[in-house]
Amino acid sequence: MRIGWPRRVSAQVLLVQLAINTGVVVLATGLFLAPLGSEIDDQAMSRALSIAQATAADPDIARQRVETRPSTTGPVQRQAERINRATGALYVVVLDTRGVRWSHPNPAEIGRHVSTDPGVALSGKEIRQIDTGTLGRSARAKVPLRDGHGKIVGAVSVGIAYESVRERLLGDVPGLLLTAGAALAVGVLAAVGVSRRLRRRTHGVAFADISALLDEREAMLHGIREGVVALDGHGRIRLVNDEAGRLLGLDADATGRDLNEVLPPGRTLDVLAGRVDGADLLTVTGSRVLLANRVTTRDGGAVVTLRDRTELELLGRELDSTHGLLDALRAQDHEQANRLHTLLGLLELGLYEQAMEFVAEITDADRASAEEVAERVRDPLLAALLVGKTAIAAERGVALRVSASTLLTDPVVDPRDLVTVLGNLIDNAVDAAAEGAQPARHHASEPCVEVDLRAEQDTAVLRVSDTGPGVPPEMREQIFAEGWSTKQDGRGPSGRGIGLALVRRLAERHGGMARVTARAGGGAVFTVVLPEALAPGGDHGDDAAADAGTGTSGEQLTAAGGE
């Protein structure tokens, strides 16, 4: 069976670490053994030199060398044997100036000439070397032998058996190898531990799989139509995919920067930073409505997913408009049924002229009401919105009136923006007026909502007032924040608090403003100014002049809704 290279990352890392550990241990052992032999040789030669120097320093030996003859039983031989036994040297040889031995471990060599050249020592110099003589290879040293007057009378040669040097070297190898083996074992255990941890963290994937997974991750993150923002434990951005960059208006330089540096203060920043808890949190960025979910990671960071809910909100509002139209049709159906019953009664009673007058009266009244709205508000979407909302408000017992000063005949640049703003304001006003009309409040006057639309050159000024409970001064800024709502309908915080936030964002996008003030007599007045919302070319000039007495400036409108 052929053994191939493993595919798992952990197995490959284990093998590489084992190879590195083994190589390092072998290399370290070799580098240690290489100088160890030279060091032991040097120690042996130094030991031989010390013995030779100590022997040459004995005055008796120099004196006996001069006064006696070389003999196997002479005093020089006896003294050399004593030193040899005491130091464990291979030999201690004393020789004269001719190179003749006066002592030797082998008595037969006494009186003979030495096998190596003693000239260096006899010239007064000391020498250390590894050499081979009559007793074999040895670490030896030679020093001059001087008498009491300093005259060289011979030399002393001391040798240390090289076999003992080699034995010492070989004796150190097992300990060294044991140490190296222990180091290798520790390295192997560490490598196995790292490999197991790596296997758990990588889930046993291969290197080729890692590259493929990274490619797939990049393709998925930048291909999905959902924004993804990854943050580290310090709030810095680790990843922003294309959709998140588009939704939040971030560029490629956002990666690595702090979240507070790339996003303005507001709910969106609070949601991404985790300062707002909950799932499916709604937030408004620019003109977009986003649905955010934040999940923390093990390292203290977080991953935030963002879904663009703008189109869904628009569809929801269109659905609300459809429901409103159905409510209006139902209300009209009730009204028409009452009218038909009245007409039937008149006919059964034979009051034909009164029946004709009744039909003409109600027909003219309905036509006049619709025509009045269409005459004052030329944009068909806004006019249709006002007519439909009037019927819906009536169904809830609230009178929706268009003020006599309303005049908006210029073409609207973006009717959908004005429909969104006006629709949200009217819905909130009708809810507030209906709440204020509860029996517990004992209102004497009829709950009503008044709508006023004005044009100041290319600026549209919208005002919606109601007879509801009003907005306390301390809450007049808070009601425009995303996610804030006083309504409780079971939809949770993510399903409310978007309407007024959108109104303010749309106003700010046009360079205008949105605010709420108190209504004289109780209630609230919402005022929205939308610069450049109207296109020139309308025919309101004469009408505006005719209505000058009612006032058409934005300042007058704002003042009318003030406290």
Side-chain angles (χ1 to χ4, degrees):
M1 181 180 295
R2 181 181 178 182
I3 300 177
W5 184 252
R7 297 183 67 251
R8 289 185 176 182
V9 176
S10 57
Q12 293 186 23
V13 171
L14 176 60
L15 291 181
V16 171
Q17 288 182 325
L18 290 178
I20 292 175
N21 288 335
T22 303
V24 169
V25 170
V26 171
L27 180 61
T29 304
L31 292 177
F32 185 78
L33 286 176
L36 181 60
S38 299
E39 182 179 352
I40 293 178
D41 287 347
D42 183 74
Q43 290 178 357
M45 290 185 292
S46 297
R47 181 185 171 202
L49 178 62
S50 298
I51 297 173
Q53 290 173 340
T55 302
D58 187 350
D60 291 340
I61 292 181
R63 180 176 55 79
Q64 291 170 357
R65 210 292 302 156
V66 174
E67 295 177 354
T68 63
R69 300 288 297 173
S71 170
T72 57
T73 59
V76 175
Q77 172 68 2
R78 292 195 301 273
Q79 189 76 355
E81 288 178 348
R82 182 184 61 81
I83 295 173
N84 197 4
R85 289 192 301 268
T87 60
L90 176 64
Y91 61 85
V92 176
V93 176
V94 179
L95 53 129
D96 59 16
T97 56
R98 296 172 299 166
V100 176
R101 301 185 184 94
W102 285 62
S103 66
H104 196 277
N106 183 5
E109 297 293 333
I110 297 175
R112 296 182 180 180
H113 198 279
V114 293
S115 59
T116 56
D117 183 17
V120 175
L122 294 176
S123 65
K125 297 180 181 180
E126 296 178 349
I127 184 174
R128 303 186 318 161
Q129 60 185 11
I130 302 294
D131 204 352
T132 303
T134 57
L135 296 178
R137 190 172 180 79
S138 62
R140 60 184 62 185
K142 296 177 182 179
V143 299
L145 179 64
R146 303 176 187 272
D147 60 11
H149 303 286
K151 179 182 178 181
I152 297 176
V153 294
V156 177
S157 177
V158 177
I160 304 297
Y162 199 73
E163 286 73 10
S164 63
V165 176
R166 185 179 303 168
E167 289 175 0
R168 180 182 174 189
L169 175 62
L170 295 178
D172 290 341
V173 169
L176 179 62
L177 293 180
L178 182 61
T179 303
L184 181 60
V186 171
V188 169
L189 292 177
V192 172
V194 171
S195 176
R196 289 183 176 179
R197 178 176 176 83
L198 187 61
R199 182 173 58 191
R200 290 194 301 268
R201 298 297 296 270
T202 60
H203 303 286
V205 298
F207 270 117
D209 296 335
I210 291 179
S211 178
L213 288 174
L214 288 176
D215 293 339
E216 292 172 2
R217 170 181 173 271
E218 290 298 315
M220 178 186 65
L221 286 176
H222 296 287
I224 60 175
R225 299 297 296 173
E226 184 169 315
V228 178
V229 179
L231 307 171
D232 63 14
H234 302 285
R236 291 188 295 266
I237 298 176
R238 285 195 286 206
L239 170 71
V240 176
N241 70 343
D242 296 340
E243 184 66 7
R246 182 182 70 86
L247 296 176
L248 299 175
L250 303 179
D251 52 23
D253 296 337
T255 303
R257 298 173 61 186
D258 192 270
L259 193 62
N260 297 289
E261 298 178 5
V262 298
L263 290 179
R267 179 176 171 83
T268 301
L269 176 60
D270 293 339
V271 169
L272 266 65
R275 291 190 283 269
V276 180
D277 295 329
D280 293 336
L281 298 173
L282 284 176
T283 179
V284 178
T285 301
S287 60
R288 299 186 181 278
V289 180
L290 305 180
L291 191 67
N293 283 281
R294 189 178 190 273
V295 179
T296 57
T297 56
R298 291 183 179 179
D299 61 353
V303 175
V304 183
T305 58
L306 302 169
R307 281 179 284 172
D308 191 353
R309 194 171 167 175
T310 307
E311 295 182 0
L312 184 60
E313 283 292 318
L314 292 176
L315 291 175
R317 298 192 181 280
E318 292 179 4
L319 182 60
D320 290 341
S321 299
T322 303
H323 289 164
L325 179 59
L326 292 176
D327 292 340
L329 292 175
R330 184 174 63 252
Q332 290 180 356
D333 178 63
H334 293 166
E335 183 66 20
Q336 293 299 328
N338 293 330
R339 292 173 178 177
L340 288 175
H341 292 158
T342 302
L343 179 60
L344 179 61
L346 291 174
L347 293 176
E348 289 181 351
L349 293 173
L351 303 175
Y352 303 113
E353 292 183 2
Q354 288 84 344
M356 293 177 61
E357 292 175 358
F358 177 72
V359 172
E361 180 182 350
I362 61 177
T363 301
D364 292 341
D366 291 343
R367 183 185 300 111
S369 177
E371 288 179 354
E372 181 182 1
V373 173
E375 182 67 23
R376 292 184 174 275
V377 181
R378 295 292 178 84
D379 186 84
L381 289 180
L382 291 176
L385 176 68
L386 290 173
V387 173
K389 293 294 185 181
T390 299
I392 296 173
E395 179 74 4
R396 298 186 60 183
V398 177
L400 176 62
R401 302 189 183 99
V402 178
S403 69
S405 60
T406 293
L407 187 62
L408 194 65
T409 57
D410 283 342
V412 179
V413 175
D414 191 348
R416 296 183 65 179
D417 284 353
L418 266 71
V419 167
T420 298
V421 172
L422 189 59
N424 276 295
L425 294 180
I426 292 176
D427 289 342
N428 288 338
V430 170
D431 290 341
E435 178 185 350
Q438 297 297 324
R441 299 184 65 88
H442 302 291
H443 275 264
S445 60
E446 178 188 15
C448 69
V449 172
E450 186 177 52
V451 179
D452 189 87
L453 306 179
R454 304 284 188 88
E456 295 182 359
Q457 296 181 355
D458 62 350
T459 299
V461 182
L462 290 72
R463 187 188 72 172
V464 177
S465 61
D466 62 75
T467 59
V471 180
E474 65 274 9
M475 298 175 60
R476 290 177 184 173
E477 283 298 320
Q478 188 178 1
I479 62 173
F480 290 102
E482 304 102 287
W484 189 92
S485 177
T486 59
K487 301 174 183 178
Q488 301 295 332
D489 57 359
R491 296 166 62 185
S494 63
R496 285 290 190 181
I498 294 298
L500 290 179
L502 277 176
V503 168
R504 171 163 282 188
R505 290 297 177 90
L506 287 173
E508 292 175 347
R509 192 177 71 176
H510 283 273
M513 64 89 182
R515 69 173 184 174
V516 59
T517 55
R519 175 181 176 274
V525 179
F526 285 85
T527 303
V528 179
V529 178
L530 301 173
E532 300 182 358
L534 305 177
D539 55 356
H540 63 284
D542 297 337
D543 297 333
D547 291 335
T550 62
T552 59
S553 69
E555 295 295 333
Q556 293 171 343
L557 177 60
T558 303
E563 297 177 300

